[in-house]
Amino acid sequence: IEKDAEINNVPIISKEIREYLKFIIRTNKNIKNILEVGTATGYSGIIMSEEIQDRNGNLTTIEIDGDRFKIAQSNFEKSNLKGIEQILGDATEEIEKLNKTFDFIFIDAAKGQYKKFFEDSYKLLNEGGIVFIDNILFRGYLYKESPKRFKTIVKRLNEFIDYIYENFDSVTLLPISDGVMLVSKII
Ligand code: SAM
């Protein structure tokens, strides 16, 4: 999947994020059910699903692009992992339709929609659960002059970060890779 991502320009999580995801899920034994927003070709989904196999956990993962959805389907089949449910559709509509709750939510899709993804999925987060938001620092553009074409995304990300700090209590922003924000639901 890594090679294919490089050749076909599929944006997948960095090595640092991969290891940090594994670390968090492995050390939080209560994480069983995971929601991923942004499947792409299934790379991060496989990494997370591996960690919850011996907990009988489930991964629900949403992707908007039909071609990527199919590639992910084939990769998941090859992986022989249990408990993976794929959803093809726009997460701004699909999360609201879900009828389950999660211990861990990984947001890794369109940055302009982070607030919507977050608000919809946080409602489904179990107490003690964690939302992990990738690429929150967007190549550092949040703290320096950004190219014109990125202005809207940067504005939206800044607003999103302010919204999180103003409304939630247990928040961390880490400069790992392209920036990670963690929000937990306090028990
Ligand atoms: N998590 C993947 C991994 O590391 O293997 C990478 C995900 S990639 C950065 C972002 C993906 O989100 C893309 O495949 C894109 O098509 C998808 N996406 C963007 N907007 C979306 C939306 N509104 N709903 C669902 N998927 C979306």
Side-chain angles (χ1 to χ4, degrees):
I1 302 178
E2 282 172 8
K3 269 191 204 141
D4 170 77
E6 213 176 308
I7 295 164
N8 296 310
N9 275 325
V10 181
I12 59 170
I13 49 166
S14 65
K15 185 176 76 198
E16 290 79 14
I17 296 296
R18 182 188 73 206
E19 293 308 310
Y20 191 45
L21 276 175
K22 281 161 64 178
F23 176 85
I24 291 194
I25 299 172
R26 201 170 288 180
T27 53
N28 286 268
K29 305 276 182 216
N30 295 334
I31 297 176
K32 267 186 79 175
N33 295 317
I34 300 178
L35 172 65
E36 175 179 55
V37 183
T39 317
T41 49
Y43 183 71
S44 52
I46 288 173
I47 299 290
M48 295 189 288
S49 175
E50 277 172 344
E51 295 299 324
I52 51 171
Q53 289 297 297
D54 58 1
R55 300 176 196 170
N56 262 330
N58 269 282
L59 169 78
T60 302
T61 179
I62 310 175
E63 173 57 50
I64 200 169
D65 181 295
D67 292 337
R68 286 187 179 167
F69 175 88
K70 280 191 205 135
I71 298 170
Q73 198 165 35
S74 145
N75 286 333
F76 289 145
E77 272 166 24
K78 280 185 218 157
S79 75
N80 277 325
L81 291 162
K82 293 182 300 254
I84 300 180
E85 189 201 336
Q86 281 184 268
I87 296 172
L88 174 62
D90 186 337
T92 60
E93 293 159 14
E94 299 299 327
I95 301 171
E96 286 172 318
K97 294 184 205 161
L98 292 172
N99 204 358
K100 34 175 139 166
T101 61
F102 301 94
D103 311 301
F104 187 76
I105 295 169
F106 178 51
I107 298 180
D108 188 23
K111 285 177 271 296
Q113 305 286 351
Y114 271 9
K115 188 167 178 213
K116 173 77 177 151
F117 297 150
F118 179 86
E119 283 183 325
D120 290 351
S121 60
Y122 189 80
K123 290 181 195 152
L124 307 176
L125 186 67
N126 293 325
E127 289 196 344
I130 298 168
V131 186
F132 184 120
I133 305 149
D134 197 14
N135 305 113
I136 197 78
L137 296 175
F138 191 39
R139 307 175 210 174
Y141 288 139
L142 262 60
Y143 298 106
K144 63 178 189 225
E145 191 59 23
S146 61
K148 222 175 187 170
R149 66 185 191 283
F150 294 143
K151 289 255 189 281
T152 308
I153 294 185
V154 168
K155 186 169 170 278
R156 285 194 174 193
L157 277 175
N158 272 316
E159 284 167 3
F160 176 65
I161 291 171
D162 289 346
Y163 156 81
I164 293 287
Y165 277 123
E166 278 159 26
N167 294 284
F168 297 87
D169 222 9
S170 180
V171 179
T172 308
L173 202 162
L174 299 167
I176 301 173
S177 199
D178 202 16
V180 173
M181 187 166 236
L182 299 172
V183 185
S184 75
K185 193 175 258 189
I186 296 168
I187 303 172

